[in-house]
Amino acid sequence: MKTKREKPEPADTATLAEACAMKKHLALSAKLDYELESGQLIQAKDARRAAFATARKARDMLLTMSDRLAPIVAGLTNRFDCHEAITAEVRRSATS
């Protein structure tokens, strides 16, 4: 959801310093609006939501890894085969 910020109106009696500050503020505001509209910036709440969803997916993959690995590893007696099966599952989980 894109929102426009209200731009302050310069006062008639603004000092030079105030006018310069106002000009700088307006320029920065316009830059932020442009970057938001062009997709270069996103809302912080959207970034938090995406990060949370990614972390939850990673957590869920880790928590269910033992359920996926138990039947595979249960029949293996060679530690190298166990290692290979675990490594393959970790790689699959890390790349999905």
PDB file of all heavy atoms in Angstrom, residues 24-56:
ATOM      1  N   LYS A  24      15.393  21.009   1.144  1.00  0.00           N
ATOM      2  CA  LYS A  24      16.026  19.703   1.324  1.00  0.00           C
ATOM      3  C   LYS A  24      14.975  18.660   1.699  1.00  0.00           C
ATOM      4  O   LYS A  24      14.975  17.543   1.183  1.00  0.00           O
ATOM      5  CB  LYS A  24      17.107  19.780   2.398  1.00  0.00           C
ATOM      6  CG  LYS A  24      17.862  18.493   2.581  1.00  0.00           C
ATOM      7  CD  LYS A  24      18.995  18.645   3.587  1.00  0.00           C
ATOM      8  CE  LYS A  24      19.764  17.351   3.723  1.00  0.00           C
ATOM      9  NZ  LYS A  24      20.867  17.460   4.680  1.00  0.00           N
ATOM     10  N   HIS A  25      14.070  19.021   2.588  1.00  0.00           N
ATOM     11  CA  HIS A  25      13.006  18.103   3.006  1.00  0.00           C
ATOM     12  C   HIS A  25      12.130  17.712   1.822  1.00  0.00           C
ATOM     13  O   HIS A  25      11.800  16.547   1.629  1.00  0.00           O
ATOM     14  CB  HIS A  25      12.146  18.740   4.098  1.00  0.00           C
ATOM     15  CG  HIS A  25      10.925  17.948   4.431  1.00  0.00           C
ATOM     16  ND1 HIS A  25      10.978  16.805   5.192  1.00  0.00           N
ATOM     17  CD2 HIS A  25       9.626  18.107   4.069  1.00  0.00           C
ATOM     18  CE1 HIS A  25       9.755  16.293   5.288  1.00  0.00           C
ATOM     19  NE2 HIS A  25       8.921  17.074   4.620  1.00  0.00           N
ATOM     20  N   LEU A  26      11.757  18.696   1.005  1.00  0.00           N
ATOM     21  CA  LEU A  26      10.918  18.427  -0.163  1.00  0.00           C
ATOM     22  C   LEU A  26      11.639  17.534  -1.164  1.00  0.00           C
ATOM     23  O   LEU A  26      11.036  16.641  -1.762  1.00  0.00           O
ATOM     24  CB  LEU A  26      10.467  19.729  -0.814  1.00  0.00           C
ATOM     25  CG  LEU A  26       9.484  20.575  -0.001  1.00  0.00           C
ATOM     26  CD1 LEU A  26       9.234  21.910  -0.682  1.00  0.00           C
ATOM     27  CD2 LEU A  26       8.184  19.824   0.219  1.00  0.00           C
ATOM     28  N   ALA A  27      12.936  17.756  -1.338  1.00  0.00           N
ATOM     29  CA  ALA A  27      13.714  16.929  -2.266  1.00  0.00           C
ATOM     30  C   ALA A  27      13.800  15.487  -1.769  1.00  0.00           C
ATOM     31  O   ALA A  27      13.621  14.541  -2.541  1.00  0.00           O
ATOM     32  CB  ALA A  27      15.106  17.521  -2.451  1.00  0.00           C
ATOM     33  N   LEU A  28      14.072  15.324  -0.486  1.00  0.00           N
ATOM     34  CA  LEU A  28      14.144  13.970   0.081  1.00  0.00           C
ATOM     35  C   LEU A  28      12.787  13.277   0.030  1.00  0.00           C
ATOM     36  O   LEU A  28      12.693  12.081  -0.266  1.00  0.00           O
ATOM     37  CB  LEU A  28      14.661  14.017   1.522  1.00  0.00           C
ATOM     38  CG  LEU A  28      16.138  14.353   1.682  1.00  0.00           C
ATOM     39  CD1 LEU A  28      16.481  14.522   3.164  1.00  0.00           C
ATOM     40  CD2 LEU A  28      17.008  13.281   1.055  1.00  0.00           C
ATOM     41  N   SER A  29      11.749  14.033   0.287  1.00  0.00           N
ATOM     42  CA  SER A  29      10.393  13.482   0.225  1.00  0.00           C
ATOM     43  C   SER A  29      10.056  13.031  -1.192  1.00  0.00           C
ATOM     44  O   SER A  29       9.502  11.943  -1.400  1.00  0.00           O
ATOM     45  CB  SER A  29       9.392  14.530   0.708  1.00  0.00           C
ATOM     46  OG  SER A  29       8.085  14.020   0.662  1.00  0.00           O
ATOM     47  N   ALA A  30      10.415  13.839  -2.168  1.00  0.00           N
ATOM     48  CA  ALA A  30      10.166  13.474  -3.572  1.00  0.00           C
ATOM     49  C   ALA A  30      10.973  12.243  -3.961  1.00  0.00           C
ATOM     50  O   ALA A  30      10.481  11.354  -4.667  1.00  0.00           O
ATOM     51  CB  ALA A  30      10.510  14.648  -4.483  1.00  0.00           C
ATOM     52  N   LYS A  31      12.209  12.160  -3.479  1.00  0.00           N
ATOM     53  CA  LYS A  31      13.058  10.999  -3.775  1.00  0.00           C
ATOM     54  C   LYS A  31      12.443   9.732  -3.187  1.00  0.00           C
ATOM     55  O   LYS A  31      12.380   8.694  -3.844  1.00  0.00           O
ATOM     56  CB  LYS A  31      14.469  11.217  -3.229  1.00  0.00           C
ATOM     57  CG  LYS A  31      15.401  10.063  -3.510  1.00  0.00           C
ATOM     58  CD  LYS A  31      16.776  10.289  -2.921  1.00  0.00           C
ATOM     59  CE  LYS A  31      17.647   9.084  -3.248  1.00  0.00           C
ATOM     60  NZ  LYS A  31      18.735   8.901  -2.334  1.00  0.00           N
ATOM     61  N   LEU A  32      12.004   9.802  -1.942  1.00  0.00           N
ATOM     62  CA  LEU A  32      11.383   8.635  -1.305  1.00  0.00           C
ATOM     63  C   LEU A  32      10.108   8.220  -2.029  1.00  0.00           C
ATOM     64  O   LEU A  32       9.863   7.029  -2.240  1.00  0.00           O
ATOM     65  CB  LEU A  32      11.089   8.920   0.167  1.00  0.00           C
ATOM     66  CG  LEU A  32      12.299   8.965   1.086  1.00  0.00           C
ATOM     67  CD1 LEU A  32      11.880   9.385   2.490  1.00  0.00           C
ATOM     68  CD2 LEU A  32      12.998   7.626   1.120  1.00  0.00           C
ATOM     69  N   ASP A  33       9.301   9.203  -2.417  1.00  0.00           N
ATOM     70  CA  ASP A  33       8.080   8.897  -3.168  1.00  0.00           C
ATOM     71  C   ASP A  33       8.420   8.185  -4.472  1.00  0.00           C
ATOM     72  O   ASP A  33       7.792   7.199  -4.839  1.00  0.00           O
ATOM     73  CB  ASP A  33       7.287  10.165  -3.464  1.00  0.00           C
ATOM     74  CG  ASP A  33       6.558  10.704  -2.242  1.00  0.00           C
ATOM     75  OD1 ASP A  33       6.344   9.926  -1.287  1.00  0.00           O
ATOM     76  OD2 ASP A  33       6.207  11.896  -2.249  1.00  0.00           O
ATOM     77  N   TYR A  34       9.425   8.697  -5.183  1.00  0.00           N
ATOM     78  CA  TYR A  34       9.839   8.083  -6.447  1.00  0.00           C
ATOM     79  C   TYR A  34      10.315   6.652  -6.224  1.00  0.00           C
ATOM     80  O   TYR A  34       9.933   5.736  -6.953  1.00  0.00           O
ATOM     81  CB  TYR A  34      10.940   8.909  -7.115  1.00  0.00           C
ATOM     82  CG  TYR A  34      11.572   8.188  -8.279  1.00  0.00           C
ATOM     83  CD1 TYR A  34      10.914   8.124  -9.503  1.00  0.00           C
ATOM     84  CD2 TYR A  34      12.799   7.552  -8.144  1.00  0.00           C
ATOM     85  CE1 TYR A  34      11.471   7.447 -10.572  1.00  0.00           C
ATOM     86  CE2 TYR A  34      13.363   6.874  -9.208  1.00  0.00           C
ATOM     87  CZ  TYR A  34      12.695   6.815 -10.415  1.00  0.00           C
ATOM     88  OH  TYR A  34      13.248   6.129 -11.461  1.00  0.00           O
ATOM     89  N   GLU A  35      11.179   6.449  -5.224  1.00  0.00           N
ATOM     90  CA  GLU A  35      11.718   5.115  -4.963  1.00  0.00           C
ATOM     91  C   GLU A  35      10.630   4.144  -4.533  1.00  0.00           C
ATOM     92  O   GLU A  35      10.661   2.968  -4.889  1.00  0.00           O
ATOM     93  CB  GLU A  35      12.839   5.196  -3.927  1.00  0.00           C
ATOM     94  CG  GLU A  35      14.094   5.856  -4.480  1.00  0.00           C
ATOM     95  CD  GLU A  35      15.173   6.054  -3.439  1.00  0.00           C
ATOM     96  OE1 GLU A  35      14.901   5.917  -2.223  1.00  0.00           O
ATOM     97  OE2 GLU A  35      16.314   6.345  -3.848  1.00  0.00           O
ATOM     98  N   LEU A  36       9.649   4.626  -3.793  1.00  0.00           N
ATOM     99  CA  LEU A  36       8.535   3.789  -3.386  1.00  0.00           C
ATOM    100  C   LEU A  36       7.677   3.413  -4.591  1.00  0.00           C
ATOM    101  O   LEU A  36       7.329   2.254  -4.790  1.00  0.00           O
ATOM    102  CB  LEU A  36       7.694   4.505  -2.327  1.00  0.00           C
ATOM    103  CG  LEU A  36       6.610   3.701  -1.643  1.00  0.00           C
ATOM    104  CD1 LEU A  36       7.205   2.531  -0.877  1.00  0.00           C
ATOM    105  CD2 LEU A  36       5.830   4.592  -0.695  1.00  0.00           C
ATOM    106  N   GLU A  37       7.366   4.407  -5.423  1.00  0.00           N
ATOM    107  CA  GLU A  37       6.534   4.173  -6.611  1.00  0.00           C
ATOM    108  C   GLU A  37       7.230   3.262  -7.619  1.00  0.00           C
ATOM    109  O   GLU A  37       6.584   2.463  -8.284  1.00  0.00           O
ATOM    110  CB  GLU A  37       6.180   5.506  -7.294  1.00  0.00           C
ATOM    111  CG  GLU A  37       5.245   6.376  -6.490  1.00  0.00           C
ATOM    112  CD  GLU A  37       3.839   5.832  -6.415  1.00  0.00           C
ATOM    113  OE1 GLU A  37       3.400   5.190  -7.380  1.00  0.00           O
ATOM    114  OE2 GLU A  37       3.194   6.037  -5.379  1.00  0.00           O
ATOM    115  N   SER A  38       8.550   3.390  -7.756  1.00  0.00           N
ATOM    116  CA  SER A  38       9.283   2.604  -8.750  1.00  0.00           C
ATOM    117  C   SER A  38       9.632   1.205  -8.252  1.00  0.00           C
ATOM    118  O   SER A  38      10.190   0.412  -9.002  1.00  0.00           O
ATOM    119  CB  SER A  38      10.559   3.336  -9.165  1.00  0.00           C
ATOM    120  OG  SER A  38      11.476   3.396  -8.080  1.00  0.00           O
ATOM    121  N   GLY A  39       9.313   0.910  -7.006  1.00  0.00           N
ATOM    122  CA  GLY A  39       9.576  -0.424  -6.470  1.00  0.00           C
ATOM    123  C   GLY A  39      10.971  -0.604  -5.905  1.00  0.00           C
ATOM    124  O   GLY A  39      11.360  -1.717  -5.559  1.00  0.00           O
ATOM    125  N   GLN A  40      11.746   0.467  -5.809  1.00  0.00           N
ATOM    126  CA  GLN A  40      13.083   0.382  -5.239  1.00  0.00           C
ATOM    127  C   GLN A  40      13.029   0.273  -3.718  1.00  0.00           C
ATOM    128  O   GLN A  40      13.961  -0.233  -3.100  1.00  0.00           O
ATOM    129  CB  GLN A  40      13.918   1.586  -5.642  1.00  0.00           C
ATOM    130  CG  GLN A  40      14.193   1.660  -7.130  1.00  0.00           C
ATOM    131  CD  GLN A  40      14.931   2.933  -7.507  1.00  0.00           C
ATOM    132  OE1 GLN A  40      15.498   3.616  -6.657  1.00  0.00           O
ATOM    133  NE2 GLN A  40      14.928   3.256  -8.785  1.00  0.00           N
ATOM    134  N   LEU A  41      11.935   0.759  -3.127  1.00  0.00           N
ATOM    135  CA  LEU A  41      11.724   0.671  -1.686  1.00  0.00           C
ATOM    136  C   LEU A  41      10.432  -0.090  -1.428  1.00  0.00           C
ATOM    137  O   LEU A  41       9.529  -0.093  -2.263  1.00  0.00           O
ATOM    138  CB  LEU A  41      11.581   2.063  -1.064  1.00  0.00           C
ATOM    139  CG  LEU A  41      12.807   2.954  -1.017  1.00  0.00           C
ATOM    140  CD1 LEU A  41      12.436   4.300  -0.401  1.00  0.00           C
ATOM    141  CD2 LEU A  41      13.915   2.317  -0.234  1.00  0.00           C
ATOM    142  N   ILE A  42      10.371  -0.737  -0.286  1.00  0.00           N
ATOM    143  CA  ILE A  42       9.138  -1.394   0.129  1.00  0.00           C
ATOM    144  C   ILE A  42       8.796  -0.919   1.531  1.00  0.00           C
ATOM    145  O   ILE A  42       9.649  -0.393   2.251  1.00  0.00           O
ATOM    146  CB  ILE A  42       9.247  -2.933   0.094  1.00  0.00           C
ATOM    147  CG1 ILE A  42      10.343  -3.426   1.059  1.00  0.00           C
ATOM    148  CG2 ILE A  42       9.482  -3.428  -1.312  1.00  0.00           C
ATOM    149  CD1 ILE A  42      10.363  -4.923   1.236  1.00  0.00           C
ATOM    150  N   GLN A  43       7.560  -1.106   1.910  1.00  0.00           N
ATOM    151  CA  GLN A  43       7.126  -0.742   3.255  1.00  0.00           C
ATOM    152  C   GLN A  43       7.803  -1.680   4.267  1.00  0.00           C
ATOM    153  O   GLN A  43       7.969  -2.872   4.011  1.00  0.00           O
ATOM    154  CB  GLN A  43       5.610  -0.867   3.373  1.00  0.00           C
ATOM    155  CG  GLN A  43       4.845   0.099   2.495  1.00  0.00           C
ATOM    156  CD  GLN A  43       4.913   1.527   3.028  1.00  0.00           C
ATOM    157  OE1 GLN A  43       5.069   1.757   4.220  1.00  0.00           O
ATOM    158  NE2 GLN A  43       4.802   2.472   2.119  1.00  0.00           N
ATOM    159  N   ALA A  44       8.182  -1.147   5.418  1.00  0.00           N
ATOM    160  CA  ALA A  44       8.839  -1.950   6.454  1.00  0.00           C
ATOM    161  C   ALA A  44       7.950  -3.102   6.902  1.00  0.00           C
ATOM    162  O   ALA A  44       8.438  -4.212   7.125  1.00  0.00           O
ATOM    163  CB  ALA A  44       9.217  -1.064   7.644  1.00  0.00           C
ATOM    164  N   LYS A  45       6.648  -2.875   6.998  1.00  0.00           N
ATOM    165  CA  LYS A  45       5.750  -3.948   7.442  1.00  0.00           C
ATOM    166  C   LYS A  45       5.735  -5.089   6.428  1.00  0.00           C
ATOM    167  O   LYS A  45       5.647  -6.256   6.814  1.00  0.00           O
ATOM    168  CB  LYS A  45       4.336  -3.414   7.672  1.00  0.00           C
ATOM    169  CG  LYS A  45       3.642  -2.907   6.441  1.00  0.00           C
ATOM    170  CD  LYS A  45       2.261  -2.383   6.736  1.00  0.00           C
ATOM    171  CE  LYS A  45       1.681  -1.847   5.430  1.00  0.00           C
ATOM    172  NZ  LYS A  45       0.367  -1.364   5.572  1.00  0.00           N
ATOM    173  N   ASP A  46       5.866  -4.778   5.133  1.00  0.00           N
ATOM    174  CA  ASP A  46       5.927  -5.829   4.116  1.00  0.00           C
ATOM    175  C   ASP A  46       7.224  -6.627   4.227  1.00  0.00           C
ATOM    176  O   ASP A  46       7.232  -7.846   4.057  1.00  0.00           O
ATOM    177  CB  ASP A  46       5.795  -5.231   2.718  1.00  0.00           C
ATOM    178  CG  ASP A  46       4.439  -4.579   2.491  1.00  0.00           C
ATOM    179  OD1 ASP A  46       3.456  -4.952   3.187  1.00  0.00           O
ATOM    180  OD2 ASP A  46       4.354  -3.681   1.632  1.00  0.00           O
ATOM    181  N   ALA A  47       8.320  -5.933   4.513  1.00  0.00           N
ATOM    182  CA  ALA A  47       9.610  -6.607   4.687  1.00  0.00           C
ATOM    183  C   ALA A  47       9.577  -7.515   5.913  1.00  0.00           C
ATOM    184  O   ALA A  47      10.060  -8.657   5.865  1.00  0.00           O
ATOM    185  CB  ALA A  47      10.735  -5.584   4.819  1.00  0.00           C
ATOM    186  N   ARG A  48       8.987  -7.022   7.008  1.00  0.00           N
ATOM    187  CA  ARG A  48       8.874  -7.852   8.220  1.00  0.00           C
ATOM    188  C   ARG A  48       8.015  -9.082   7.961  1.00  0.00           C
ATOM    189  O   ARG A  48       8.335 -10.183   8.386  1.00  0.00           O
ATOM    190  CB  ARG A  48       8.299  -7.032   9.369  1.00  0.00           C
ATOM    191  CG  ARG A  48       9.297  -6.116  10.033  1.00  0.00           C
ATOM    192  CD  ARG A  48       8.753  -5.517  11.330  1.00  0.00           C
ATOM    193  NE  ARG A  48       7.634  -4.617  11.094  1.00  0.00           N
ATOM    194  CZ  ARG A  48       7.758  -3.319  10.821  1.00  0.00           C
ATOM    195  NH1 ARG A  48       8.947  -2.784  10.743  1.00  0.00           N
ATOM    196  NH2 ARG A  48       6.694  -2.573  10.637  1.00  0.00           N
ATOM    197  N   ARG A  49       6.912  -8.890   7.238  1.00  0.00           N
ATOM    198  CA  ARG A  49       6.007  -9.999   6.932  1.00  0.00           C
ATOM    199  C   ARG A  49       6.719 -11.066   6.083  1.00  0.00           C
ATOM    200  O   ARG A  49       6.614 -12.254   6.338  1.00  0.00           O
ATOM    201  CB  ARG A  49       4.765  -9.483   6.209  1.00  0.00           C
ATOM    202  CG  ARG A  49       3.693 -10.527   6.029  1.00  0.00           C
ATOM    203  CD  ARG A  49       2.439  -9.974   5.364  1.00  0.00           C
ATOM    204  NE  ARG A  49       1.849  -8.908   6.167  1.00  0.00           N
ATOM    205  CZ  ARG A  49       1.573  -7.683   5.696  1.00  0.00           C
ATOM    206  NH1 ARG A  49       1.802  -7.379   4.445  1.00  0.00           N
ATOM    207  NH2 ARG A  49       1.040  -6.778   6.489  1.00  0.00           N
ATOM    208  N   ALA A  50       7.477 -10.636   5.078  1.00  0.00           N
ATOM    209  CA  ALA A  50       8.210 -11.571   4.217  1.00  0.00           C
ATOM    210  C   ALA A  50       9.303 -12.300   4.994  1.00  0.00           C
ATOM    211  O   ALA A  50       9.490 -13.513   4.825  1.00  0.00           O
ATOM    212  CB  ALA A  50       8.803 -10.832   3.023  1.00  0.00           C
ATOM    213  N   ALA A  51      10.015 -11.573   5.845  1.00  0.00           N
ATOM    214  CA  ALA A  51      11.070 -12.202   6.652  1.00  0.00           C
ATOM    215  C   ALA A  51      10.471 -13.229   7.610  1.00  0.00           C
ATOM    216  O   ALA A  51      11.021 -14.327   7.793  1.00  0.00           O
ATOM    217  CB  ALA A  51      11.850 -11.139   7.433  1.00  0.00           C
ATOM    218  N   PHE A  52       9.336 -12.901   8.211  1.00  0.00           N
ATOM    219  CA  PHE A  52       8.680 -13.828   9.128  1.00  0.00           C
ATOM    220  C   PHE A  52       8.244 -15.092   8.391  1.00  0.00           C
ATOM    221  O   PHE A  52       8.447 -16.209   8.876  1.00  0.00           O
ATOM    222  CB  PHE A  52       7.479 -13.156   9.788  1.00  0.00           C
ATOM    223  CG  PHE A  52       6.747 -14.048  10.745  1.00  0.00           C
ATOM    224  CD1 PHE A  52       7.211 -14.236  12.040  1.00  0.00           C
ATOM    225  CD2 PHE A  52       5.600 -14.720  10.354  1.00  0.00           C
ATOM    226  CE1 PHE A  52       6.545 -15.072  12.920  1.00  0.00           C
ATOM    227  CE2 PHE A  52       4.925 -15.557  11.226  1.00  0.00           C
ATOM    228  CZ  PHE A  52       5.399 -15.725  12.510  1.00  0.00           C
ATOM    229  N   ALA A  53       7.655 -14.926   7.210  1.00  0.00           N
ATOM    230  CA  ALA A  53       7.195 -16.080   6.439  1.00  0.00           C
ATOM    231  C   ALA A  53       8.366 -16.980   6.040  1.00  0.00           C
ATOM    232  O   ALA A  53       8.268 -18.214   6.108  1.00  0.00           O
ATOM    233  CB  ALA A  53       6.435 -15.619   5.195  1.00  0.00           C
ATOM    234  N   THR A  54       9.480 -16.374   5.650  1.00  0.00           N
ATOM    235  CA  THR A  54      10.665 -17.149   5.282  1.00  0.00           C
ATOM    236  C   THR A  54      11.228 -17.893   6.481  1.00  0.00           C
ATOM    237  O   THR A  54      11.577 -19.082   6.386  1.00  0.00           O
ATOM    238  CB  THR A  54      11.740 -16.226   4.672  1.00  0.00           C
ATOM    239  OG1 THR A  54      11.184 -15.581   3.526  1.00  0.00           O
ATOM    240  CG2 THR A  54      12.965 -16.995   4.271  1.00  0.00           C
ATOM    241  N   ALA A  55      11.305 -17.222   7.623  1.00  0.00           N
ATOM    242  CA  ALA A  55      11.818 -17.868   8.835  1.00  0.00           C
ATOM    243  C   ALA A  55      10.892 -18.994   9.286  1.00  0.00           C
ATOM    244  O   ALA A  55      11.363 -20.055   9.713  1.00  0.00           O
ATOM    245  CB  ALA A  55      11.978 -16.831   9.947  1.00  0.00           C
ATOM    246  N   ARG A  56       9.595 -18.791   9.175  1.00  0.00           N
ATOM    247  CA  ARG A  56       8.647 -19.841   9.557  1.00  0.00           C
ATOM    248  C   ARG A  56       8.799 -21.056   8.650  1.00  0.00           C
ATOM    249  O   ARG A  56       8.768 -22.196   9.114  1.00  0.00           O
ATOM    250  CB  ARG A  56       7.217 -19.334   9.504  1.00  0.00           C
ATOM    251  CG  ARG A  56       6.229 -20.475   9.771  1.00  0.00           C
ATOM    252  CD  ARG A  56       4.904 -19.999  10.153  1.00  0.00           C
ATOM    253  NE  ARG A  56       4.995 -19.457  11.493  1.00  0.00           N
ATOM    254  CZ  ARG A  56       3.952 -19.155  12.227  1.00  0.00           C
ATOM    255  NH1 ARG A  56       2.742 -19.345  11.754  1.00  0.00           N
ATOM    256  NH2 ARG A  56       4.084 -18.651  13.421  1.00  0.00           N
TER     257      ARG A  56
END
